[in-house]
Each structure stands twice: as C-alpha cells, then as structure tokens.
Amino acid sequence: MSRMQTSLVHVFVVCVWAVRASSLARPEEPCVAPLQWEGRTVVYDHSTGRNTRAAVSYDAQNQRVRVLEQKTGHTPCKKFFEYIYLFTSGVYFQIEQVTKACAKLNLTDAWDPYDIPMNSTYEDQYFIGGPGDMIEVQEWSDRKQARKDETWVGVYTLKDCYPVHETYTKNSSVTTTTRFFDLELGISDPEVFIPPSTCMSALPEHMDSDC
C-alpha cells in the first residue's frame, strides 16, 4: 500500500471516529418530541403486575389523548374501554367498547406531555437491539443531585425524538412503565377525540373492568 493510500485510510478512520465521538457527546439540551402522533403502547403497572395494551392518539397541541384498550387473546369476564382525555376541559370519558356505556369524570392530574422536560438530566446514549439495528436513543431522567432516586426516566429516539420507553413513579405505591411502538406522525382522524352520543347521558362514576 502506498503512502498516499495509507494516508487516505488514516483520514477515513479519523473521520469515522470523529463522527462517532460527536454522536456520543453529551447534549446541551434534550430533543423536542413530536406534538401529534398515533401508535400503540403497553403500560405495565408495577403494583398489580398487569399489562394494558392500547392504541393511542396523542395531540399535545390541544392537550388531548385518546386511548383504545386492545384485547389480547381470550379474556373471560373483562370489559375493555376507550378513554378520551380532554385536559383543556378538565374532564375525561370512559366508554365501554361493546355497550358504549359512558362515564364522564373530572381530570385530577395536570397535563403531562410525552416529551423530555428542558431541565432533565442526561443519562446515556446507546443503540437498541443488536448489530445492524442502528436505532440510536437517548435516556433522560429527572434525577437531581439533592435527591437520591429519580421519579421519571424517559428513552427517546435520537433521530426524530419519538418516545420509546418511560418509567414514572407517582408515589411510593404507584409506578408504571410505558413502552411505545408503531408510531406515526400526525392524527389521521381528529374525530376520535369526540365522545360518542351515549356520553350525553354519561354516568358520574368510573366503571369497573371486571364483569
């Protein structure tokens, strides 16, 4: 190999190393997550050991979320619901998928978007999966020096800042982990946020999922 060829190889290796090093550099601030998307989620409740699978329409611009629980196999004597959360109105609707029975209740929680707060702490950057998958993500948390444990950890894709995984601790007894997948940008049908006509005479109490 000639001296020129050797030099070119050396330059190529240095450039690859520089690109890789720059991608792993600690970011000054988190990326900005999409304001509207549709996809699927699995929410794991650590206190009950139960997974809830759902199709989700997420609209941060208007502070509303629609969650449609999905059946997994044969689940005897269990009701599945659709939830429509309207945070600007301070209410949410619970609709039984078969009978369309509807409950209207007050939202007690404030709007909490799927994004990375600007005051978050950078934790790590890595690839999901094995060789060739090349899905690079960043991990952030609300960990602070004065507090021992974090109450929120979020993993978001580096390229488009889509949520991948979030673990959230509301208090000592309520912890949930949410996994996101099959996300697509935008809202295909804005009418999913409109409650059905049965909600005109909605119940004032939350409906139980067991028969």
Side-chain angles (χ1 to χ4, degrees):
M1 181 180 292
S2 67
R3 180 176 301 178
M4 179 176 294
Q5 289 175 321
T6 303
S7 299
L8 289 174
V9 170
H10 176 73
V11 170
F12 174 76
V13 172
V14 170
C15 289
V16 170
W17 178 85
V19 170
R20 178 60 181 162
S22 64
S23 67
L24 294 177
R26 181 179 293 271
E28 296 183 359
E29 59 184 33
C31 59
V32 179
L35 296 178
Q36 293 181 326
W37 53 259
E38 293 179 322
R40 294 193 292 154
T41 63
V42 177
V43 179
Y44 175 70
D45 188 324
H46 293 243
S47 61
T48 64
R50 179 176 295 178
N51 284 294
T52 301
R53 298 178 179 272
V56 176
S57 298
Y58 170 77
D59 181 8
Q61 289 183 349
N62 299 289
Q63 295 189 2
R64 56 188 184 176
V65 180
R66 184 253 197 166
V67 177
L68 183 67
E69 292 182 342
Q70 296 183 322
K71 298 179 182 180
T72 54
H74 179 64
T75 308
C77 207
K78 177 177 172 56
K79 299 176 182 177
F80 291 86
F81 297 98
E82 174 186 2
Y83 294 90
I84 300 175
Y85 299 91
L86 306 176
F87 284 86
T88 55
S89 301
V91 298
Y92 74 95
F93 296 88
Q94 179 194 22
I95 303 112
E96 206 277 313
Q97 293 187 24
V98 175
T99 65
K100 300 302 179 181
C102 180
K104 180 181 179 181
L105 303 106
N106 293 326
L107 272 172
T108 57
D109 295 329
W111 168 251
D112 186 11
Y114 289 125
D115 66 2
I116 309 172
M118 294 303 295
N119 61 349
S120 297
T121 299
Y122 172 78
E123 298 288 354
D124 202 357
Q125 183 169 317
Y126 47 86
F127 289 94
I128 294 178
D133 289 337
M134 301 300 289
I135 301 175
E136 197 166 9
V137 298
Q138 286 186 347
E139 182 176 305
W140 297 76
S141 77
D142 64 349
R143 178 176 54 87
K144 297 293 182 286
Q145 292 183 353
R147 190 173 66 237
K148 181 180 179 181
D149 299 318
E150 62 272 2
T151 62
W152 170 83
V153 176
V155 178
Y156 283 70
T157 60
L158 182 65
K159 180 177 180 293
D160 295 312
C161 207
Y162 281 106
V164 175
H165 179 279
E166 282 197 352
T167 297
Y168 178 66
T169 303
K170 187 174 182 180
N171 53 52
S172 59
S173 61
V174 179
T175 299
T176 58
T177 295
T178 304
R179 293 183 287 122
F180 305 82
F181 46 96
D182 292 343
L183 300 189
E184 294 185 3
L185 191 63
I187 303 296
S188 60
D189 182 12
E191 292 190 1
V192 298
F193 300 105
I194 300 176
S197 58
T198 53
C199 291
M200 295 295 292
S201 56
L203 302 171
E205 298 178 352
H206 191 278
M207 291 180 284
D208 191 12
S209 61
D210 296 326
C211 298

